[in-house]
Every structure is written in structure tokens, then in C-alpha cells.
Amino acid sequence: MDWQQYFPTYHFNEDKNRDIALEEYKFCCKILESEERIFDNLIKYMLAFGAVIVSLLSGANKEIKKNI
């Protein structure tokens, strides 16, 4: 089966450049994994920060209701 991806500036010859393409693929996978880790940590920190803010706001709301 003959397949071709659309990358107009990239030419891949399977007979000559197989090893180079595999190394590029491995490098791209490493970049993707590091970006996923960064995104995952960012989401965790945002959730923790949001939980703290909600907790503080609900405590402040209870104090305001007591004073009224």
C-alpha cells in the first residue's frame, strides 16, 4: 500500500532515510512526553489552587453571614 502524508517541505525516501526518520520520530515522542508532563502538572496545580480559593471563599462567606 502506497501512502503519503502531506508535508510539502519534507521528503522521505524509505530506502535511504529510514534510520533518520526513526530518530526524528523518537525525538518528537520525547518532546511530546515532556509537554504532556508539563500540561499534567499545570492542571494539577490549577486544581489545587482552585480548591484552596473555593475553600477560602466559602469560609469567608460563612463569616459574613454570621456578622449579619
Side-chain angles (χ1 to χ4, degrees):
M1 177 181 231
D2 188 27
W3 61 274
Q4 194 175 28
Q5 287 183 325
Y6 179 72
F7 294 106
T9 61
Y10 188 79
H11 176 70
F12 173 68
N13 185 348
E14 190 173 345
D15 298 327
K16 295 180 182 178
N17 301 338
R18 180 182 164 270
D19 295 335
I20 295 171
L22 286 174
E23 290 300 318
E24 288 179 354
Y25 178 75
K26 289 177 186 177
F27 182 71
C28 290
C29 286
K30 288 179 184 177
I31 291 173
L32 180 63
E33 287 175 1
S34 67
E35 289 177 353
E36 285 178 347
R37 271 185 263 137
I38 291 169
F39 182 72
D40 187 41
N41 288 335
L42 179 66
I43 294 297
K44 287 178 184 175
Y45 289 132
M46 288 176 63
L47 288 173
F49 182 71
V52 168
I53 294 296
V54 167
S55 175
L56 291 173
L57 290 176
S58 67
N61 191 23
K62 288 178 184 176
E63 287 294 321
I64 291 172
K65 286 183 179 179
K66 282 183 184 178
N67 292 334
I68 291 180

